Amino acid sequence: MEIIVLCIAAVLLAGGGWWIYQRGQTFLQDEVRHQKLAQQLGVQLAWQSLREYTIFGTYRGYQIAIQPVIYPVAGMSRLWMGTRILLPMINPNRRALRISRHLVEHRVLERIAPLDKPLYFSHQIAPWLEITTNDMMFSSLILSEEIKITLYEVFSRLEAGVACIYDEELCFVMPGLIRHEEAADLCLRALNLLCDIKDELN
């Protein structure tokens, strides 16, 4: 009987040790992936975990920040996790532009940059892309043909997401954390889209 108990204990200890090792390896791989993205951008990484980090610095002449975002989901115990890319901006007239692709599973994105009386911007980029604004002339100037092409290239790779000019921010929020190289590539594409928009603003 004692031998059986010892065998069970040994199996449990071995399994626990393997689980801890795997968690450590995953943590290290996550950090390396984020460090690689930061190096690719020529900026810095402040790392604690996959759910708590900041990539920050100057990219293409603009101050940037990339961080995870976590929102509670109404009526559910789980959390919605995504990635947020931010460029600070000066916006004294509170002009707003919201570009979005939604799915029911990502309804939490509706909280981002809500407009009280949105004007719907007509376009032919894609039927699943919604563009709203509070200043049609302002948005018309920003949404050049080049920007529209880049919008399609970025959003067509995502099942949901929001790009917006709102208050003092130019930002992009997409579902999911940067758990693999494809997510890092999408993050880079979204960041370049925001920089292109900032170029148009300038």
Side-chain angles (χ1 to χ4, degrees), residues 174-188:
M174 66 181 73
L177 303 177
I178 304 176
R179 297 181 183 273
H180 44 72
E181 295 300 327
E182 183 182 356
D185 179 64
L186 282 171
C187 191
L188 177 58

Side-chain angles (χ1 to χ4, degrees), residues 101-103 105-106 155-161 175:
R101 181 176 190 177
H102 286 174
L103 278 182
E105 293 84 352
H106 303 287
F155 277 95
S156 63
R157 296 170 179 264
L158 294 167
E159 60 181 10

Side-chain angles (χ1 to χ4, degrees), residues 101-117:
R101 181 176 190 177
H102 286 174
L103 278 182
V104 174
E105 293 84 352
H106 303 287
R107 187 163 287 164
V108 68
L109 292 172
E110 294 173 4
R111 303 181 195 176
I112 299 168
L115 301 180
D116 292 333
K117 297 179 180 180

Side-chain angles (χ1 to χ4, degrees), residues 45-95:
L45 169 67
W47 174 265
Q48 289 191 320
S49 70
L50 183 63
R51 298 188 182 191
E52 193 171 353
Y53 70 86
T54 302
I55 295 173
F56 65 98
T58 302
Y59 176 72
R60 286 179 53 176
Y62 303 121
Q63 289 297 309
I64 68 162
I66 302 172
Q67 297 172 311
V69 287
I70 301 175
Y71 296 121
V73 179
M76 301 184 71
S77 59
R78 68 180 180 86
L79 297 173
W80 185 93
M81 292 182 285
T83 302
R84 181 171 179 265
I85 306 163
L86 168 68
L87 276 70
M89 63 174 288
I90 299 171
N91 188 12
N93 296 319
R94 291 293 186 266
R95 290 179 171 127

